Amino acid sequence: MGKYDFNEVVDRKNTYCTQWDYIEDRFGEADLLPFSISDTEFRVPTPVLTAIQKRVAHGVFGYSRWNHEAFKGSIIQWYKTRFDVSFNKDWVLYSPTVCYAISVLLRLKSAERDRVVVFSPMYDAFYNLIRENNRELVESKLLWDNGKYRIDFDQLEKQVENASILLLTNPHNPTGRVFDKEELTRIIEICERNGVFIISDDIHMDIVYKNAQYTPILSLSENRMNMCICTSASKTMNTPGLIGSYLLVPDEALRVAFLKQLKERDALSSVSILGMYATMAAYNESADYADEMVAHLEGNMHFVKSFIDEQMPEIKFEIPEGTYLAWLDVSALGLTKDALQDALVHVGKVAIMPGETYGGEGFLRLNVACSRSKLVDGLERMHKAIQTVRR
């Protein structure tokens, strides 16, 4: 028995919670059991809560700085103890969110109408992020091969020839792929040969299961000027509402340019004080929480697999290598997205994201970062809905 109870049911209603209180915005109904937004239902680690409570008790929340040993050192130490890699603490930059960091990097490392290559299906926010920065989105479609996605390197070779940036997500949302060293090394070689800058969004890096291993892309190349990592403790520790992420940027000139944008253009250089304290407590004192949560999530994934195989065998699902997102192949049901969502919402009263949101036609994305009781309820609702539309 671990220190933390990830089966505790925490009532998040009436807390201005996106997933629970605003589910109607996406699904048109308010009384749904949600498995949509990519956060967890879990209380934060005890050290994080203690650090925040102590800081709140101080009672003064003035302008604050992140550029110090305590913040940057906690991040570097996490990579050393968690992934056995050593990075220079000078590479660490603060950003309010990963998406903000990526948006700035797009502008710094490419010109308007330049091509940005992504692996699709893909995290939905990136579609507008690229287009609203007036860059051309180029989708390098992952190949669905016997329950596992793989990179089409022949396609990638052609697509990066005239591109400026490859936006990588590792572990990958929504498919759950954790790209291995061989794949990452080949990506690096292709991009280096074509002068393409790599932005690697690694926000799910701590949520990897036993059959896979996360490798920071910066650990695989001696020439690191052509890449960076954008990430956060927020997915692992469930702190996105506290605001705070960071980058690892080896290129000093790029760090200077990024900070100029952060401070002088966007006036965002004063850190979220609670987000910073949460990150430091997470990385300094909460490794046990991450370990226990991953074990719980892997158990949930196995439960989903067993339930689907027994009750809904038309649906194809393989346990992913990482993330808490179950990517369900529902194409054999023979239903349109609208017909399936209508059954889920109005019969099952359950909110599960359609794969089309991420560029994955014929899939559903189910967030399993919850108690087992909620997961059981959700799967039973899903089963009830599908029984009404089976051919």
Side-chain angles (χ1 to χ4, degrees):
M1 185 69 180
K3 179 179 175 182
Y4 294 97
D5 180 10
F6 293 100
N7 282 313
E8 177 189 10
V9 177
V10 181
D11 186 0
R12 300 178 68 192
K13 292 180 181 178
N14 302 313
T15 63
Y16 306 104
C17 169
T18 300
Q19 179 151 213
W20 286 88
D21 293 330
Y22 297 96
I23 196 68
E24 186 175 3
D25 291 352
R26 281 203 172 189
F27 291 87
E29 298 282 344
D31 60 335
L32 305 178
L33 187 67
F35 295 86
S36 51
I37 301 300
S38 185
D39 63 7
T40 80
E41 304 281 21
F42 311 134
R43 295 187 190 275
V44 300
T46 301
V48 172
L49 191 58
T50 300
I52 293 171
Q53 289 171 333
K54 183 177 180 181
R55 187 63 185 82
V56 168
H58 180 265
V60 179
F61 310 104
Y63 294 117
S64 306
R65 295 197 178 187
W66 58 268
N67 196 359
H68 47 73
E69 175 64 32
F71 177 65
K72 297 196 291 187
S74 69
I75 293 166
I76 297 303
Q77 181 64 20
W78 185 258
Y79 277 86
K80 180 61 179 175
T81 58
R82 200 83 182 163
F83 310 117
D84 194 28
V85 294
S86 297
F87 295 139
N88 188 328
K89 69 175 183 298
D90 291 338
W91 295 359
V92 177
L93 300 176
Y94 164 79
S95 171
T97 69
V98 167
C99 281
Y100 170 81
I102 292 171
S103 183
V104 172
L105 289 166
L106 287 176
R107 294 192 293 272
L108 292 174
K109 297 300 295 184
S110 66
E112 291 195 2
R113 292 181 291 281
D114 277 6
R115 293 157 60 91
V116 177
V117 179
V118 299
F119 291 124
S120 66
M122 147 180 102
Y123 172 47
D124 56 317
F126 288 163
Y127 287 101
N128 286 334
L129 188 67
I130 292 167
R131 290 167 177 152
E132 289 302 314
N133 275 292
N134 200 19
R135 269 65 178 172
E136 180 184 345
L137 172 67
V138 179
E139 295 186 56
S140 187
K141 293 188 178 296
L142 295 171
L143 300 175
W144 180 237
D145 185 10
N146 291 322
K148 182 176 180 177
Y149 280 96
R150 60 181 178 86
I151 298 169
D152 184 341
F153 280 104
D154 291 336
Q155 176 184 243
L156 183 65
E157 286 267 12
K158 297 173 184 176
Q159 290 173 321
V160 300
E161 285 181 357
N162 298 306
S164 296
I165 290 173
L166 172 68
L167 177 53
L168 175 69
T169 308
N170 183 39
H172 188 261
N173 175 3
T175 69
R177 272 303 319 276
V178 180
F179 298 114
D180 61 35
K181 289 183 180 180
E182 182 179 351
E183 289 171 306
L184 293 172
T185 299
R186 192 169 177 187
I187 289 170
I188 292 169
E189 189 277 324
I190 292 171
C191 288
E192 191 171 274
R193 178 160 32 90
N194 288 277
V196 173
F197 187 81
I198 301 171
I199 303 172
S200 190
D201 168 11
D202 294 7
I203 199 168
H204 293 274
M205 65 191 188
D206 300 309
I207 306 166
V208 173
Y209 305 125
K210 292 175 183 177
N211 61 338
Q213 180 179 354
Y214 162 74
T215 303
I217 197 167
L218 289 175
S219 69
L220 296 176
S221 175
E222 293 183 4
N223 180 17
R224 296 161 169 165
M225 298 299 104
N226 202 42
M227 62 187 75
C228 70
I229 289 174
C230 302
T231 188
S232 173
S234 62
K235 290 293 183 193
T236 307
M237 309 297 174
N238 201 24
T239 58
L242 295 177
I243 308 301
S245 75
Y246 61 90
L247 304 76
L248 296 172
V249 183
D251 184 349
E252 182 180 6
L254 182 57
R255 293 198 302 269
V256 171
F258 183 89
L259 291 177
K260 185 178 178 67
Q261 295 274 307
L262 183 77
K263 182 175 182 178
E264 297 180 15
R265 197 196 76 160
D266 297 334
L268 291 170
S269 60
S270 184
V271 70
S272 162
I273 189 66
L274 297 185
M276 182 179 69
Y277 270 78
T279 298
M280 294 188 296
Y283 282 169
N284 290 333
E285 305 174 73
S286 304
D288 56 347
Y289 177 96
D291 291 338
E292 291 180 28
M293 184 186 68
V294 169
H296 174 81
L297 294 173
E298 190 163 13
N300 275 358
M301 287 292 187
H302 281 279
F303 183 84
V304 172
K305 173 67 174 170
S306 296
F307 188 98
I308 285 177
D309 287 351
E310 293 172 9
Q311 303 295 331
M312 297 177 282
E314 307 99 316
I315 297 175
K316 297 176 183 177
F317 171 63
E318 298 298 330
I319 295 169
E321 296 168 323
T323 80
Y324 46 70
L325 305 168
W327 188 237
L328 312 178
D329 181 353
V330 295
S331 58
L333 293 173
L335 299 171
T336 65
K337 179 198 77 169
D338 290 343
L340 179 56
Q341 284 296 317
D342 184 72
L344 292 171
V345 170
H346 296 109
V347 178
K349 295 294 182 180
V350 62
I352 305 172
M353 293 299 295
E356 285 81 357
T357 301
Y358 315 96
E361 186 177 353
F363 284 82
L364 292 174
R365 195 193 78 168
L366 175 75
N367 180 351
V368 307
C370 59
S371 66
R372 182 63 59 82
S373 61
K374 181 193 173 190
L375 184 61
V376 170
D377 189 5
L379 289 170
E380 288 176 347
R381 290 168 182 243
M382 181 180 173
H383 183 221
K384 178 183 178 182
I386 287 175
Q387 282 182 311
T388 67
V389 292
R390 275 191 171 120
R391 289 183 172 181

